[in-house]
């Protein structure tokens, strides 16, 4: 297929056109590469729970047509003339951010996700505030070099795809709070984010406790690298771990009791939310006064840290546990339904290379 | 028998008679309470109490609002006075020294937290009142009394230039606001917010300003503006005024929230810079409600603080001595009636900014 006129490349995607309509094939255009752009043939895209929130307009700000997908891996097909770090044929990934101003304080401190002009990979606009961005449920994407990462050659592209969101989202707070072999950490929830938190924390040498609502996840937690497992609704089990954790990463987006988790923290321990529950957290003042914990949140990571995370995964041979599926409107719908019920170990990954045939 | 022999045959007293004001239950008035303080052990200091601040915690506990009150209760943990006796191995105090006692009178002194000078977290912490000594049996009675015997480690020196009455509330309100200001390294580069202008809030403003910070006071009431400026604030905003709140949005490094009445935390978090710190020192009984998006996008530190260890309490007093900082107080006689009236006014925030009981002249 030859490049179309008007500096664009034809592309195909699956898009939704309203919050209650099914996915359909969407013919659209990606820009031809500017001097600092990389054009990527998309091989795989992970289904992140955020995709589902956006598609169903749960955060109430959506514009349509919407092409979700921000856990993208593929192969470089073209590079702009001033691209330094990528060549045709490289294995690469794109996460949640495709552009920022690169000049403000957060950008300079490598926290591009906090740039006031952040351009998300989908459901957003480019820096011109007009051109919509479309995500990875498509066959091709053109991205500024700065926002592309190398996937280590030893990591399979399919199982590496969810690292671009789930991976960095759990890696970032583990690094920020200096997790190492002396750390006792808790990971709340064993889904897409949680299972990566366990693998990464264990690889950093930490003693990992998984806190879950469901006893049935115990064996999986231990296989993933956890040393202990607590059922959150079992007060006796929770008491055994009171005041024992340096850091808790909370991946759960369903409403849940945060005070019971704060009870598990040591004095001045850290509770870091990475899930997105729609209702506010209720935090008692007394535990804050007595225990002086740090209650905070974290949100993906900057580009430097994302590359560092991928390199760490390459070194430790860490990828996600995935269920790879064909990419059709029907399979996406089924995967969404199962994700919402937590019926997946632990991320669906769409085979985009073989889609649109 | 000579008088010397008679004296040798008389058993030494094992306690010292003391007087206090106590309540017998959550719904009965203060009454005179005759009780005993221990004779000083080798490491004890006996203090003639001159003044005791009325802390809002006294009110919460007298009325059993925290559901952990034991009676009879003699409240009071903002105590200043003069050393009257010292035990034989006491090194840091002499008779006549100006001394203060805060919220703690003992701890195990052996655990990791005691060794790190954060005794307030010790599992065996003994509070100054409504608690027990290390034996877990002997009740502790606080500063609404004329005398107290305290282990040397838990007594502080009051700098000579600070009047004992106005210094008394430093022992709780002072250390409670000082500790997070130091933990979060407040200095001349800091944009600091203080929420609430009461006992804690007013001393938070003084201490923050003395550390060089730019202080913004956030209050529900316009009427406190002039006072806030006089105390050292540079900016004053009314929390219910959206326009005023907007002028301070995303500008503060640290907020110390002293308010114990229920209030919305979300609008306060909006005042923080990215990765700013919000620290609760007031004790609202309702939980704080914090939105997930605020945590993910602004990534604040939400935390709390309560009093401070003994080392830090002495450091705070020395800082106040150096900068001539004491509390703004309303000194009152100590009688059951005046205490009740003071409690009623404190609950209505009708005091600038702490009542202090004149204990020296009580019980006459």
């Amino acid at each position: 297929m030859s490049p179309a006129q008007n500096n664009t490349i034809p592309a195909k995607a699956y898009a939704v056109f309203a919050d209650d309509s099914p996915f359909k094939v969407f013919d659209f255009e990606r820009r031809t590469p500017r001097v600092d752009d990389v054009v990527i043939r998309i091989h795989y895209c992970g289904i992140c729970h955020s995709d589902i929130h956006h598609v169903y307009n749960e955060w109430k700000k959506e514009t349509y047509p919407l092409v979700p997908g921000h856990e993208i891996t593929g192969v470089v097909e073209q590079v702009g003339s001033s691209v330094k770090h990528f060549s045709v044929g490289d294995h690469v990934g794109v996460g949640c951010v495709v552009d920022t101003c690169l000049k403000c304080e957060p950008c300079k401190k490598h926290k591009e996700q906090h740039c006031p002009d952040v351009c998300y990979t989908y459901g957003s606009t480019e820096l011109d505030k007009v051109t919509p961005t479309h995500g990875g449920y498509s066959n091709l994407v053109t991205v500024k070099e700065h926002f592309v990462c190398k996937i280590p050659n030893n990591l399979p592209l399919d199982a590496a795809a969810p690292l671009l969101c789930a991976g960095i989202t759990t890696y970032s707070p583990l690094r920020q709070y200096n997790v190492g072999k002396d750390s006792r950490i808790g990971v709340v929830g064993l889904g897409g984010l949680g299972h990566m938190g366990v693998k990464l924390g264990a690889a950093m040498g930490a003693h990992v406790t998984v806190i879950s609502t469901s006893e049935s996840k115990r064996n999986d937690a231990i296989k993933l690298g956890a040393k202990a497992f607590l059922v959150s609704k079992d007060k006796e089990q929770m008491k055994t771990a009171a005041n024992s954790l340096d850091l808790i990463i909370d991946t759960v987006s369903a409403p849940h009791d945060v005070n019971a988790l704060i009870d598990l923290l040591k004095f001045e321990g850290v509770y870091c939310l990475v899930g997105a529950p729609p209702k506010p957290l209720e935090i008692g003042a007394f535990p804050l006064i007595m225990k002086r914990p740090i209650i905070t949140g974290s949100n993906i990571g900057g580009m430097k840290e994302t590359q560092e995370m991928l390199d760490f995964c390459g070194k430790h041979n860490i990828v996600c546990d995935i269920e790879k599926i064909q990419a059709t409107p029907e399979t996406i719908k089924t995967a969404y339904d199962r994700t919402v019920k937590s019926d997946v170990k632990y991320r669906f990954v769409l085979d985009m290379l073989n889609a649109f045939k | 028998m000579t008088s010397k022999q008679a004296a040798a045959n008389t058993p030494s007293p094992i306690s010292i008679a003391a007087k206090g004001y106590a309540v017998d239950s959550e719904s009965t008035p203060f009454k005179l309470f005759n009780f005993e303080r221990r004779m000083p052990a080798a490491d004890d200091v006996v203090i003639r109490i001159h003044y005791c601040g009325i802390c809002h915690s006294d009110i919460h506990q007298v009325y059993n609002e925290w559901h952990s009150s034991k009676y009879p209760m003699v409240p009071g943990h903002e105590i200043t006075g003069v050393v009257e006796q010292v035990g034989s191995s006491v090194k840091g105090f002499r008779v006549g020294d100006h001394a203060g006692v805060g919220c703690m009178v003992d701890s195990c002194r052996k655990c990791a937290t005691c060794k790190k000078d954060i005794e307030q977290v010790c599992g065996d912490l003994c509070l100054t009142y409504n608690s027990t000594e290390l034996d877990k049996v002997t009740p502790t009675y606080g500063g609404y009394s004329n005398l107290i015997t305290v282990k040397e480690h838990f007594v502080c020196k009051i700098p000579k230039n600070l009047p004992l009455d106005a210094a008394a509330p430093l022992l709780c309100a002072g250390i409670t606001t000082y500790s997070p200001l130091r933990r979060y390294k407040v200095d001349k580069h800091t944009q600091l917010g203080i929420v609430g202008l009461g006992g804690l809030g007013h001393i938070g403003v003084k201490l923050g300003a003395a550390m060089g910070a730019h202080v913004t006071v956030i209050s529900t009431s316009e009427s406190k503006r002039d006072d806030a400026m006089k105390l050292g604030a540079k900016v004053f905003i009314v929390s219910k005024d959206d326009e005023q709140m907007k002028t301070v949005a995303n500008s503060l490094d640290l907020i110390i929230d002293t308010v114990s009445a229920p209030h919305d935390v979300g609008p306060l978090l909006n005042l923080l810079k990215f990765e700013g710190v919000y620290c609760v020192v007031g004790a609202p009984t309702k939980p704080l409600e914090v939105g997930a998006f605020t945590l993910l996008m602004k990534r604040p530190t939400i935390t709390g603080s309560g009093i401070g260890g003994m080392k830090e309490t002495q450091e705070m007093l020395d800082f106040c001595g150096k900068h001539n900082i004491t509390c703004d107080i309303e000194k009152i006689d100590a009688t059951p009636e005046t205490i009740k009236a003071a409690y009623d006014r404190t609950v209505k925030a009708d005091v600038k900014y702490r009542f202090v009981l004149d204990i020296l002249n009580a019980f006459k």
Side-chain angles (χ1 to χ4, degrees):
Chain A
M1 204 180 290
S2 59
Q5 299 89 328
N6 302 326
N7 297 318
T8 60
I9 315 171
K12 283 188 184 304
Y14 287 117
V16 286
F17 292 81
D19 61 14
D20 58 357
S21 65
F23 278 95
K24 290 202 190 104
V25 175
F26 177 52
D27 289 298
F28 70 116
E29 280 140 7
R30 296 292 193 187
R31 64 178 184 268
T32 48
R34 300 173 189 143
V35 297
D36 57 353
D37 275 339
V38 174
V39 180
I40 301 164
R41 172 71 45 190
I42 297 175
H43 283 216
Y44 299 103
C45 187
I47 293 181
C48 176
H49 204 137
S50 306
D51 299 352
I52 302 174
H53 293 310
H54 279 285
V55 160
Y56 296 138
N57 199 13
E58 287 169 18
W59 294 332
K60 302 278 181 249
K61 279 184 286 188
E62 230 43 72
T63 52
Y64 298 92
L66 175 69
V67 176
H70 56 207
E71 297 183 331
I72 303 169
T73 51
V75 174
V76 174
E77 206 160 81
Q78 288 187 59
V79 293
S81 58
S82 70
V83 166
K84 293 190 177 28
H85 299 110
F86 298 97
S87 318
V88 171
D90 280 353
H91 284 193
V92 291
V94 176
C96 305
V97 174
V98 289
D99 212 350
T100 65
C101 79
L102 293 179
K103 295 184 235 171
C104 65
E105 280 302 299
C107 281
K108 284 199 244 172
K109 286 194 198 160
H110 307 295
K111 292 186 183 175
E112 295 91 337
Q113 74 274 30
H114 294 291
C115 173
D117 292 323
V118 65
C119 307
Y120 297 114
T121 303
Y122 68 83
S124 178
T125 60
E126 296 187 7
L127 282 176
D128 63 8
K129 310 276 189 218
V130 171
T131 312
T133 54
H134 295 304
Y137 294 15
S138 68
N139 56 1
L140 204 76
V141 69
T142 309
V143 181
K144 200 177 271 184
E145 171 178 23
H146 184 89
F147 296 92
V148 180
C149 292
K150 275 206 168 72
I151 304 290
N153 275 330
N154 59 314
L155 301 183
L157 282 178
D158 52 4
L163 294 175
L164 276 306
C165 179
I168 180 60
T169 294
T170 43
Y171 182 88
S172 186
L174 292 171
R175 276 293 181 238
Q176 181 173 356
Y177 294 104
N178 297 314
V179 166
K181 63 180 176 35
D182 297 318
S183 307
R184 297 188 72 91
I185 73 169
V187 177
V188 188
L190 200 66
L193 288 176
H195 94 290
M196 278 318 300
V198 176
K199 289 194 189 200
L200 291 168
M204 291 176 187
H207 177 287
V208 181
T209 297
V210 168
I211 300 116
S212 175
T213 49
S214 169
E215 176 64 39
S216 63
K217 297 201 178 186
R218 181 184 292 269
N219 290 337
D220 284 348
I222 306 295
K223 274 192 225 139
L224 289 164
K227 291 277 187 300
F229 182 91
L230 302 171
V231 175
S232 49
K233 289 172 185 169
D234 184 327
K235 294 205 163 102
E236 288 308 312
Q237 283 190 36
M238 293 288 274
K239 257 196 222 163
T240 64
N243 305 309
S244 70
L245 300 179
D246 298 295
L247 169 66
I248 289 174
I249 309 272
D250 188 350
T251 75
V252 172
S253 34
H256 58 293
D257 180 2
V258 166
N259 291 305
L261 299 172
I262 295 173
D263 285 345
L264 303 181
L265 286 177
K266 289 179 184 169
F267 180 69
E268 292 181 344
V270 179
Y271 164 92
C272 182
L273 179 70
V274 296
K279 278 185 70 181
L281 303 184
E282 292 190 2
I283 302 172
F286 273 90
L288 292 183
I289 288 170
M290 306 299 281
K291 203 171 266 214
R292 291 167 36 174
I294 292 172
I295 311 290
T296 188
S298 191
N299 176 12
I300 46 175
M303 294 316 302
K304 188 161 174 254
E305 195 171 42
T306 306
Q307 186 64 65
E308 183 193 295
M309 175 275 303
L310 289 164
D311 295 341
F312 178 88
C313 289
K315 182 172 167 193
H316 293 271
N317 253 303
I318 294 171
V319 287
C320 302
D321 291 9
I322 65 167
E323 187 173 325
K324 189 162 62 180
I325 58 173
Q326 286 185 317
T328 70
E330 295 73 29
T331 60
I332 295 171
K333 172 76 170 69
T334 307
Y336 276 22
D337 291 343
R338 285 180 55 199
T339 301
V340 163
K341 286 191 238 132
S342 302
D343 175 24
V344 55
K345 291 190 184 180
Y346 283 99
R347 259 305 201 244
F348 287 106
V349 171
L350 294 168
D351 177 352
M352 299 313 302
L353 187 59
N354 295 306
F356 311 118
K357 297 211 164 38
Chain B
M1 192 187 291
T2 65
S3 58
K4 215 176 178 176
Q5 284 167 321
N9 284 339
T10 311
S12 321
I14 53 167
S15 62
I16 315 173
K19 287 185 187 299
Y21 286 119
V23 285
D24 280 328
S25 77
E26 65 194 62
S27 52
T28 47
F30 278 95
K31 285 197 200 120
L32 186 61
F33 180 59
N34 291 302
F35 66 113
E36 280 140 10
R37 296 292 194 187
R38 63 176 185 269
M39 285 291 283
D43 59 350
D44 274 338
V45 174
V46 180
I47 300 166
R48 172 70 47 189
I49 297 176
H50 285 215
Y51 299 104
C52 187
I54 293 182
C55 178
H56 205 137
S57 308
D58 299 350
I59 303 173
H60 290 309
Q61 291 180 88
V62 158
Y63 296 137
N64 199 15
E65 289 169 12
W66 295 340
H67 306 292
S68 57
S69 295
K70 302 251 180 331
Y71 301 96
M73 182 189 300
V74 176
H77 56 205
E78 295 183 331
I79 302 168
T80 51
V82 175
V83 175
E84 206 159 86
Q85 286 188 59
V86 291
S88 56
S89 70
V90 167
K91 294 194 179 27
F93 295 92
R94 290 184 306 195
V95 172
D97 279 350
H98 283 192
V101 176
C103 305
M104 309 187 276
V105 289
D106 213 348
S107 71
C108 82
R109 312 284 311 285
K110 296 183 240 177
C111 65
T113 47
C114 281
K115 293 212 179 113
K116 282 196 219 163
D117 301 313
I118 38 177
E119 296 92 341
Q120 72 273 30
V121 185
C122 174
D124 292 323
L125 180 65
C126 307
L127 300 171
T128 302
Y129 68 87
N130 193 30
S131 181
T132 58
E133 294 186 8
L134 282 175
D135 64 7
K136 309 276 189 218
V137 172
T138 311
T140 54
Y141 297 120
Y144 296 14
S145 67
N146 57 0
L147 206 74
I148 189 167
T149 309
V150 182
K151 209 172 263 188
E152 171 180 18
H153 184 83
F154 294 89
V155 181
C156 291
K157 278 207 167 72
I158 304 292
K160 286 240 120 79
N161 59 314
L162 301 184
L164 281 178
D165 51 4
L170 294 176
L171 275 307
C172 179
I175 181 59
T176 292
T177 43
Y178 181 87
S179 186
L181 294 174
R182 278 295 183 232
R183 182 178 177 206
Y184 293 103
K185 302 188 171 22
V186 166
D187 64 14
K188 61 180 177 27
H189 303 295
T190 309
Q191 298 281 331
L192 170 65
I194 304 283
V195 187
L197 201 66
L200 288 174
H202 96 286
I203 192 73
V205 174
K206 291 193 189 199
L207 292 168
M211 291 175 188
H214 176 286
V215 181
T216 296
V217 168
I218 301 110
S219 175
T220 50
S221 169
E222 178 62 41
S223 63
K224 301 204 176 186
R225 181 181 292 270
D226 290 343
D227 284 349
M229 301 317 221
K230 278 192 217 136
L231 289 163
K234 293 275 187 304
V235 173
F236 179 93
I237 54 176
V238 175
S239 48
K240 289 169 187 171
D241 185 325
D242 288 344
E243 287 309 311
Q244 288 189 34
M245 292 286 274
K246 264 194 215 160
T247 63
V248 177
N250 301 308
S251 72
L252 301 178
D253 297 296
L254 170 64
I255 290 173
I256 309 276
D257 189 348
T258 75
V259 174
S260 39
H263 60 290
D264 270 337
V265 165
L268 298 173
L269 297 176
N270 287 343
L271 304 182
L272 284 178
K273 289 179 183 168
F274 178 66
E275 292 178 325
V277 178
Y278 166 87
C279 181
V280 171
V281 297
T285 41
K286 272 189 74 186
L288 281 52
E289 290 189 6
V290 179
F293 272 100
T294 304
L295 286 181
L296 298 185
M297 301 308 275
K298 191 163 276 209
R299 293 169 61 178
T301 290
I302 294 180
T303 186
S305 197
I307 52 174
M310 294 316 302
K311 187 161 172 250
E312 194 170 43
T313 305
Q314 186 64 63
E315 184 193 294
M316 175 274 304
L317 289 165
D318 295 340
F319 179 88
C320 288
K322 181 173 165 190
H323 293 271
N324 252 304
I325 294 171
T326 53
C327 299
D328 291 10
I329 65 168
E330 187 173 324
K331 190 160 63 180
I332 57 174
D333 284 340
T335 71
E337 294 73 29
T338 59
I339 295 171
K340 173 76 168 66
Y343 275 23
D344 291 345
R345 285 180 55 200
T346 301
V347 162
K348 289 192 236 129
D350 174 26
V351 55
K352 292 190 183 177
Y353 284 100
R354 261 300 201 247
F355 288 105
V356 170
L357 295 169
D358 177 353
I359 297 290
L360 188 59
N361 295 304
F363 312 116
K364 297 207 163 46

